[in-house]
Structure formats: C-alpha cells, structure tokens
Amino acid sequence: MRNLKSLFLIAVAGGAVVITSGCGGNSSSPSTAQSNTTAAAGAVTVSLSDPATCAAPNGSFTHVWITITKVTANLSSGAGPNDSGWTTLLDLTASPKQMDLLSLSSTTCVLTQLGSTTGLPPGNYQQIRLYLLDNNASGAGLAANNCGSAGFNCVALASGGVEELQLSSESQTGIKIPAGQMAGGGLNLVAGQSADLNIDFSTCESIVHQGNGAYRLKPVLHAGEVSLNTNSIAGTVVDSGTQAPIASAMVLVEQPDAAGIDRVVESELTASDGTFIFCPLPAGNYDVVVAAASPSPVTLPPIGVATAYNATVTFQTPTGASLTIPLVEEGRAGVSSSPAGLAGTLTSAGTQAVTIDASLSALQQATPAGGSVVEFTVPAFPASSPEVETEASSSCPAGTACATYALYVPASNPSVGTYSSSGTTYSVPQPGNVSYTVDAQAFVADGSNTPDCSPSDVDATSDAGGGPLLATAGATVAVKTLSFSSCQ
C-alpha cells in the first residue's frame, strides 16, 4: 500500500510549484477564493518522495523533519501569492504538522497523511504552494516537535544529535520550476475523479551543509511529468433527504476474502463536511460500505442515537473514483430510527481452555447489478466490542475460555448501488425482516494476527433460540454461541 516505485517527477508549464516559509497568520499567505467542498469535486493529494541516498545507514541522516502550515493550489500559472484564485487544500496554521522527508509512510499521499479529507474542485491547476513554519515562530498548536530546541525544521544525524534546518531566502520567496515543463499544461482534474499528485522532492540534493557546520534547506524539484494517479477513493456522505453532509459516518473499504466475504481493507470516519479519502490503495475495485448514527442521550443502552442511518454499499468502486453516497434515515425506511444490538458469547478450546483473540463482524447480503449475492461487513456503531479476548472463568462452559461481545448495527436492510462513472443509482432499502450473520475470526493471543483454531472462522445465522438472526430496532438480540475448537 506504500509502494512508491511508480512515482512521478514534477514540472510546471508557465507555472510554479512553490515551497514557501511562513508563520501562522502571515499576511502574505494566499487566501481561499474557491470552495473545495463541492460534492462533485475530484480529490488530490500531494506526495513528496525521495531516493534516500542520504539516509542512514549509508547516508548522514536518519530523519529530515519539516513543519507544514498550509498547502494551496491555483488554476492560473501567473498568479502571485496574494492574487485571487487560490484554493486551500489544507490549512494547518492553527495546528502545524511535521513530516519526515525520509519516511515513505510520511511522504506518500501527503495531504491525506496530514489529515486532509477534501478534494480539489475540477479544473486545470497550474500551481501548488507548500508553506513551512518558520524556525523562529512560536510553534503554537504543534502537537509534538521532533526537532526539540532545533527550530521546527531539522535533520537528525546518523552520528547522533539534531540540527536546525535553516530556511533559505529562496524558500521564503518561492522556488519555481522553469516554465513550460508540465505535461498537458497543468493538473487537469474532472468531476468524479479522485487523484494523487506525486512530487519528487529530492531531499538529499535539497540539504546544503554549510562551511560553518549549519544545514540549510534549498528545495530541489526535478523537471519531469505531472500526472493524475488513480490510487485513491474519495467522496462525501450525505443525508438522502436533506442532502446535508453527515459527519462521523463510518466508511469501510472492502474486498472479498478467499471465502467470498467482503472484509475491511481500510476504515475511517467522515470529516465535519462529510468528506473522506483513502489514499493510497492498490489499483482495483472495492466495495465501499457506509453507516452513521447521530448521538442522543437515550435509546438502546449502552449507546444513544437520535438518528440512525441504514448501511449503504457501493459495489465495484474503482480506484480513482470520487463518490457522493446518500444514507437513508432508518425512520424513512419504514422502521424505527433506533439501531439494533447483536450480542452473544464465544468460546475457545483445544485439549483444554485456550485463550484467543477474536474479531467479530456483522454481515448483511446484497446483490450488485448484474452480479450474484455478496456478503459484506456492516459498520458497527460506537460501544460495540468487535475485538475480544477469551478468558477461562467459572462462567465459561467446562473446558473452554470465553468472552462476551455486542455489535450495534443499523436495524434496516441496506441501500445498494453499483458504481457507474456517469452517476451511481442507489436502491431504497427493502422493508421486512432484517437478516444478519455474526462472523468471528480467531487469532493467536499474542498480537501477531496469526490465525488460530480449526476452523479459524465461524459464524452464526441464528439467534440463541435457534430462529433466524433478525435485527430488531431498539432491542438487543441474543446470538447463538460461537464455538472455536482445536485452538493452540
């Protein structure tokens, strides 16, 4: 997921890629002249990469830390920093963040790594500006400073110690790649796309060791090609009735396992404006599953929600897609807006009681257009216990270790869509019985995620009384005991 072998070099046609330095509130900072929260927006992330020949153990540095305060973009190649047309991709002036230019996990999909969930409005962008925190700034809002007393931009030496990375005057005024070198005339992003921009920031060439022993940052950006990558999935989650964005919705990106069950690859919560982005993802198709619940003092203990939304699944979503995903409030689906609880016990045993780690999932079924039935993982609301460890106790069946769990889930059938580049259509959740399967996977209880027991995956499709496992709004259903044997 962090493979950087296909990184692109960057160049600019009649434009600029600029790295500037400033403190929060600097009057020379670009202003935001365009909204970047439109539902149809594409998404862009900026990746700074480096063939780290200067990295330890062969090189001089173990880390090269820079502190970022803002990232902006402009449609015009000739726009100055105070001109109109700037879009703020990420504003960290109130809470600057550091990144290590020698770390692949830090320099892949930089905006995502720095906390961005929004995308670029469609357009042909000609400039990107990355602002660094001045070493003499107060540093207010910076959660942790890896540079210690050595400013906010620094190098950690392989020989030991940390030295301030001084910022050149060129860094403050902006360093431009020669004009006319951006392939295609700019970063051309259209509606419905999620894209990633990779910038080859040559860290090794960008650090100057001066005669007085100090280190200075003189950023080097190689001329080359800027191109849209398709290794991300982005989108906005909205209420299907009001079209208002839904914050803190749970978004799961899933792919089928060997048994054909959709398992979670990555997960995250939407931002306050309902946006999300997963970057980077290996190229391919994914099923995107979303659910949400708005908090309230009471309803189903131990959680309380005023509004619960059904699960919505978007099948066969390719990397490079940007989605607008509507969630149906459960009251509009013909059922109570309260969630349902699925609770039960699981046991583990070998020749005697064996402690295991277990991961629990609530599964529903749906059918993509032109396909066959798919069993997918439904997001579990807060207060659920999807991860448990069995322990031997007097409350367990003889010769076993056991654990109890609870999963709080939508009490409605899913809304279903199959991705289409021309616009995805979602079905209305079907009324009637809401069937679930509770699935459990067993692992060795050492944190290694090594599968345990034989089989290592068991499920329950019936309740404790032997009937079908049906979700009931506002109530908790007892699930048939999940039993693991032949555990190690």
Side-chain angles (χ1 to χ4, degrees), residues 349-351 353-356 443-445 451-454 485-488:
T351 56
V354 177
T355 297
I356 64 168
F443 302 94
V444 177
D452 197 1
C453 312
S454 183
S485 60
S486 301
C487 303
Q488 303 299 313

Side-chain angles (χ1 to χ4, degrees), residues 330-400:
E330 291 197 318
R332 295 192 211 123
V335 298
S336 167
S337 63
S338 297
L342 306 173
T345 301
L346 62 83
T347 64
S348 59
T351 56
Q352 58 184 356
V354 177
T355 297
I356 64 168
D357 290 334
S359 178
L360 293 128
S361 302
L363 309 178
Q364 285 187 312
Q365 293 184 343
T367 306
S372 55
V373 174
V374 174
E375 200 162 28
F376 62 91
T377 303
V378 176
F381 294 143
S384 298
S385 49
E387 307 291 335
V388 297
E389 181 182 69
T390 60
E391 294 182 353
S393 72
S394 58
S395 62
C396 300
T400 73

Side-chain angles (χ1 to χ4, degrees), residues 273-317:
D273 59 359
T275 58
F276 66 89
I277 185 169
F278 295 92
C279 184
L281 291 170
N285 288 342
Y286 296 81
D287 297 335
V288 181
V289 186
V290 187
S294 300
S296 169
V298 293
T299 46
L300 177 66
I303 64 172
V305 299
T307 303
Y309 292 88
N310 66 291
T312 296
V313 55
T314 310
F315 287 115
Q316 300 171 13
T317 305

Side-chain angles (χ1 to χ4, degrees), residues 172-403:
Q172 299 173 25
T173 59
I175 298 176
K176 299 182 180 181
I177 293 177
Q181 295 181 354
M182 178 176 280
L187 174 63
N188 189 21
L189 195 69
V190 301
Q193 281 187 314
S194 172
D196 197 307
L197 174 65
N198 294 323
I199 304 176
D200 186 6
F201 185 178
S202 183
T203 306
C204 300
E205 295 180 59
S206 300
I207 299 174
V208 178
H209 193 186
Q210 302 181 135
N212 61 2
Y215 294 88
R216 181 170 294 278
L217 179 67
K218 297 185 69 173
V220 174
L221 293 171
H222 293 296
E225 181 181 8
V226 172
S227 179
L228 294 177
N229 290 331
T230 56
N231 63 341
S232 60
I233 292 177
T236 304
V237 178
V238 300
D239 184 296
S240 65
T242 66
Q243 299 302 304
I246 299 176
S248 299
M250 289 160 281
V251 186
L252 310 181
V253 171
E254 304 179 6
Q255 284 187 320
D257 64 9
I261 297 174
D262 264 12
R263 300 293 187 184
V264 178
V265 176
E266 291 193 32
S267 64
E268 64 179 49
L269 299 177
T270 57
S272 59
D273 59 359
T275 58
F276 66 89
I277 185 169
F278 295 92
C279 184
L281 291 170
N285 288 342
Y286 296 81
D287 297 335
V288 181
V289 186
V290 187
S294 300
S296 169
V298 293
T299 46
L300 177 66
I303 64 172
V305 299
T307 303
Y309 292 88
N310 66 291
T312 296
V313 55
T314 310
F315 287 115
Q316 300 171 13
T317 305
T319 46
S322 184
L323 306 169
T324 298
I325 302 176
L327 299 190
V328 179
E329 184 182 338
E330 291 197 318
R332 295 192 211 123
V335 298
S336 167
S337 63
S338 297
L342 306 173
T345 301
L346 62 83
T347 64
S348 59
T351 56
Q352 58 184 356
V354 177
T355 297
I356 64 168
D357 290 334
S359 178
L360 293 128
S361 302
L363 309 178
Q364 285 187 312
Q365 293 184 343
T367 306
S372 55
V373 174
V374 174
E375 200 162 28
F376 62 91
T377 303
V378 176
F381 294 143
S384 298
S385 49
E387 307 291 335
V388 297
E389 181 182 69
T390 60
E391 294 182 353
S393 72
S394 58
S395 62
C396 300
T400 73
C402 64

